[in-house]
Amino acid sequence: MRRWKYICAVAAAAAAVTALTAGVSAQSEKDSAGTIAQRIHIGEVDVSGMTEEEASKAVEEYVKELQDEEVTLKAGKNTITATVEELGLVWGDETVAEDALNYGKTGNLISRYKANKDLEHEDKVFPVILKADKEKTTKYLEEHKDDLGQDAKDFGLERKNGAFTVIDGEAGVEVNIEKSLETVDQYFAEGWKSDAQIELEVSTAEPKGSKEELSKVKDVLGTYHTNFSSSASGRVKNIQTAAGKINGSVIYPGEEFSVYDVISPMDAEHGYALAGSYENGTTVQSYGGGVCQVSTTLYNAVIRAELEITERFAHSMIVSYVDPSSDAAIAGTYKNLKFKNNTKTPVYIEGYTSGRELYFTIYGQETRDSDREVIFESETLSTTQPKTEFKTSGAALGSITKVQSSHTGRKAQLWKVVKVGGVEKSREVFNKSTYNASPAIYEVGLGGASEEASAAIKKAIASGDLGTVKAAVSKWKAQQEADKKQEEQKKEEEQKKEEQEKQDSENQKPENSGSDQNKQDTDDKKSEE
């Protein structure tokens, strides 16, 4: 009995092998032309009966048609939509046509038989794999990193009605381009997908600060104010604009604050107007003129808070709104005010204008002794008297116009004095400053002046003495007026003479007419005779 079962099993196996061999043999004859079997697709392309080359071309055309398809890229909360072409996706597996051709033709007898039997019941679909072109995809992600990314929003403070409110921070997001390239490849490793959405790889940056840390900001560390009542409207606007940009700034421990970076760019688009400012020893009109009073006022509040000054420059010429060596100039990027928060807690800057007064106050956590007092004293070391300069113009002779006021040159220093309980504990030179002397400039009119007058006035100008110039101008103006009056009298006399001659000529006309008439009468009489 057992022997009989064994013989039957062997016979069945033999029959299966015979059938498999026959099937494979038949299929091999069918595929002898080197074409792809029926019911085989590459992506959405039916490549049945195609050669390998024909299948490759068909898929290439299909990939070209995909270039306008859209892919959604996500980075945290931000999303953008890009086309396949923009994103730089290319056909990533060009051997798929060869795989399609070999399907059911390679491998052992059993695997080939199974593949061909499967085709009798369902299609075989090879995926169209897209791959990130490293150069193109990287360029696209870099160009759109601002759209995808987000800077961290630090915890902040807002001061209203004398009270602080903490503003919550938010984590920042930055796309990791190298890892995102791998993510794109992995996403399309199983083939193209319509409505594709790819979550890119990102790194996060935590915001600075916390409610607990900012709740410590409540004490006045230093305050100062200056007056700008004599300022023109353009300068007033610039002071208000710059103070508004600084107001509300929070500086965390160890951070450096740059005034120029915060208030720039200084142009009409960003709220600034034309106003007077110093340039090369003269006063010129420029956008942002007057912001130096903002940096100076802030400087005085900061040094009283005893924050660390890392960069400060004196003006080229003395200013009127603070004592010598108490100023801080702003001029492009080469003169700036910078300071660092050297305390262990954040500090808050409040800046505003009221009427024609500018105020700055530094808030933080007070750790200094309550009876400690910081005083700053200005000392002028030397002075340089300004010169007087003149320039000529085509204005009327006799006009002398002051176009620039003088500034006395000074060398000065600022002392920092510390008292505890009213007793002086230390006195040190805090900074030193040099201010250039700036001349008073007068414009002298030479319009209508004779060569002699012009030469004489220019000689007086060369003396550099205002009195001498005024005397020369007065003399030649008087001479010009006398000459003008004499010329007018001469013209008047000539006009009178002409009028008299004309009158005399008119008076002679009747006499001449009578003589002519007598002569005519005589001639007529003779004619009658």
Side-chain angles (χ1 to χ4, degrees):
M1 186 66 178
R2 290 179 180 176
R3 180 176 178 81
W4 174 251
K5 290 182 177 179
Y6 174 76
I7 293 171
C8 290
V10 171
V17 170
T18 299
L20 176 61
T21 304
V24 170
S25 175
Q27 184 65 39
S28 297
E29 290 177 3
K30 183 179 179 181
D31 296 335
S32 60
T35 58
I36 298 171
Q38 295 299 309
R39 301 192 72 168
I40 293 183
H41 295 71
I42 300 177
E44 297 181 3
V45 181
D46 185 352
V47 294
S48 303
M50 294 184 183
T51 65
E52 180 183 341
E53 183 179 357
E54 290 171 340
S56 291
K57 289 183 178 179
V59 176
E60 285 178 1
E61 289 300 319
Y62 172 69
V63 172
K64 286 182 181 179
E65 293 174 0
L66 289 179
Q67 296 303 303
D68 291 331
E69 293 289 333
E70 293 182 339
V71 178
T72 300
L73 302 177
K74 300 180 67 178
K77 297 180 180 179
N78 299 328
T79 62
I80 63 171
T81 301
T83 63
V84 169
E85 182 179 18
E86 289 174 332
L87 193 53
L89 297 178
V90 296
W91 187 13
D93 182 13
E94 297 182 5
T95 65
V96 68
E98 181 182 354
D99 295 339
L101 178 65
N102 292 330
Y103 186 75
K105 301 177 184 178
T106 59
N108 58 45
L109 289 176
I110 295 176
S111 63
R112 282 184 282 167
Y113 174 77
K114 184 179 184 303
N116 284 288
K117 290 299 289 183
D118 289 342
L119 286 175
E120 294 178 6
H121 303 289
E122 61 181 3
D123 295 340
K124 171 63 179 177
V125 180
F126 288 91
V128 176
I129 297 174
L130 297 183
K131 185 178 179 64
D133 179 296
K134 186 171 183 179
E135 183 177 344
K136 291 182 179 179
T137 310
T138 297
K139 181 180 179 182
Y140 181 86
L141 293 177
E142 287 180 343
E143 289 176 348
H144 293 82
K145 63 182 180 181
D146 290 340
D147 299 321
L148 290 164
Q150 176 179 307
D151 292 335
K153 180 183 176 184
D154 296 336
F155 281 82
L157 283 173
E158 185 178 33
R159 183 174 170 81
K160 284 186 177 180
N161 301 320
F164 284 110
T165 301
V166 176
I167 303 171
D168 289 336
E170 189 174 346
V173 174
E174 183 178 357
V175 174
N176 186 318
I177 294 178
E178 186 174 347
K179 288 185 178 180
S180 292
L181 292 176
E182 297 176 4
T183 300
V184 171
D185 289 342
Q186 291 171 3
Y187 185 86
F188 291 114
E190 298 178 358
W192 163 254
K193 305 170 186 176
S194 58
D195 299 325
Q197 293 190 16
I198 304 176
E199 189 78 42
L200 300 178
E201 295 294 324
V202 298
S203 57
T204 58
E206 294 302 319
K208 292 181 181 178
S210 64
K211 289 185 177 180
E212 180 182 3
E213 188 177 16
L214 291 171
S215 65
K216 298 176 182 178
V217 179
K218 54 187 176 181
D219 302 319
V220 174
L221 304 183
T223 186
Y224 201 79
H225 72 278
T226 57
N227 180 276
F228 57 97
S229 58
S230 62
S231 296
S233 60
R235 192 172 188 276
V236 170
K237 182 178 181 181
N238 294 336
I239 289 174
Q240 293 171 337
T241 298
K245 290 179 182 292
I246 295 172
N247 180 51
S249 297
V250 175
I251 312 170
Y252 284 91
E255 279 190 337
E256 184 179 57
F257 185 86
S258 166
V259 172
Y260 179 80
D261 290 348
V262 173
I263 68 174
S264 63
M266 284 174 275
D267 52 33
E269 183 181 352
H270 293 86
Y272 291 97
L274 288 170
S277 61
Y278 291 159
E279 183 177 304
N280 297 324
T282 61
T283 302
V284 298
Q285 294 292 307
S286 65
Y287 280 102
V291 298
C292 287
Q293 185 162 351
V294 175
S295 60
T296 292
T297 308
L298 177 59
Y299 173 67
N300 279 273
V302 167
I303 62 178
R304 285 160 175 79
E306 296 189 88
L307 302 183
E308 179 186 350
I309 302 298
T310 56
E311 187 175 321
R312 172 263 172 187
F313 294 89
H315 285 77
S316 58
M317 299 182 292
I318 203 76
V319 295
S320 60
Y321 43 84
V322 290
D323 293 332
S325 224
S326 298
D327 60 317
I330 296 289
T333 56
Y334 63 93
K335 281 188 177 183
N336 192 7
L337 172 62
K338 296 180 182 180
F339 54 90
K340 184 180 293 186
N341 179 3
N342 55 351
T343 72
K344 295 181 180 180
T345 54
V347 296
Y348 175 90
I349 303 176
E350 181 182 57
Y352 65 93
T353 62
S354 178
R356 291 298 180 93
E357 296 283 334
L358 170 64
Y359 296 84
F360 274 109
T361 301
I362 310 298
Y363 290 92
Q365 184 180 34
E366 184 61 86
T367 58
R368 297 171 294 184
D369 293 337
S370 59
D371 60 349
R372 188 173 187 274
E373 183 182 7
V374 179
I375 302 168
F376 289 91
E377 297 178 353
S378 172
E379 179 186 9
T380 297
L381 303 174
S382 65
T383 60
T384 303
Q385 293 304 315
K387 297 179 180 179
T388 303
E389 294 182 359
F390 302 91
K391 60 181 182 179
T392 59
S393 72
L397 177 64
S399 65
I400 301 178
T401 305
K402 191 175 187 178
V403 295
Q404 177 178 295
S405 299
S406 64
H407 290 80
T408 300
R410 283 185 173 85
K411 286 187 177 182
Q413 61 186 17
L414 191 66
W415 290 91
K416 179 180 179 180
V417 181
V418 177
K419 293 182 179 181
V420 178
V423 179
E424 185 174 311
K425 294 296 183 180
S426 66
R427 175 181 289 266
E428 61 179 1
V429 175
F430 190 72
N431 71 39
K432 291 188 176 183
S433 307
T434 299
Y435 304 93
N436 299 325
S438 177
I441 300 177
Y442 292 88
E443 187 177 83
V444 181
L446 294 180
S450 65
E451 291 186 7
E452 184 181 10
S454 180
I457 293 173
K458 288 180 179 179
K459 183 178 180 181
I461 287 175
S463 70
D465 180 67
L466 179 61
T468 301
V469 173
K470 286 183 175 181
V473 167
S474 178
K475 172 185 174 182
W476 288 100
K477 181 181 180 181
Q479 182 63 49
Q480 184 187 53
E481 291 174 350
D483 292 343
K484 184 178 180 181
K485 186 175 182 180
Q486 185 176 1
E487 183 67 24
E488 289 175 350
Q489 289 176 345
K490 183 178 179 181
K491 287 182 179 180
E492 186 178 351
E493 290 175 357
E494 290 178 351
Q495 186 176 3
K496 288 182 179 180
K497 182 178 179 182
E498 289 177 0
E499 290 176 353
Q500 184 62 46
E501 290 176 351
K502 183 178 180 180
Q503 184 64 40
D504 292 344
S505 175
E506 292 293 332
N507 292 338
Q508 290 177 1
K509 282 184 180 180
E511 296 178 2
N512 292 336
S513 298
S515 299
D516 293 341
Q517 185 64 45
N518 291 336
K519 182 179 180 182
Q520 183 64 44
D521 291 344
T522 303
D523 291 341
D524 291 342
K525 187 176 180 179
K526 288 182 178 181
S527 177
E528 291 173 358
E529 291 177 353

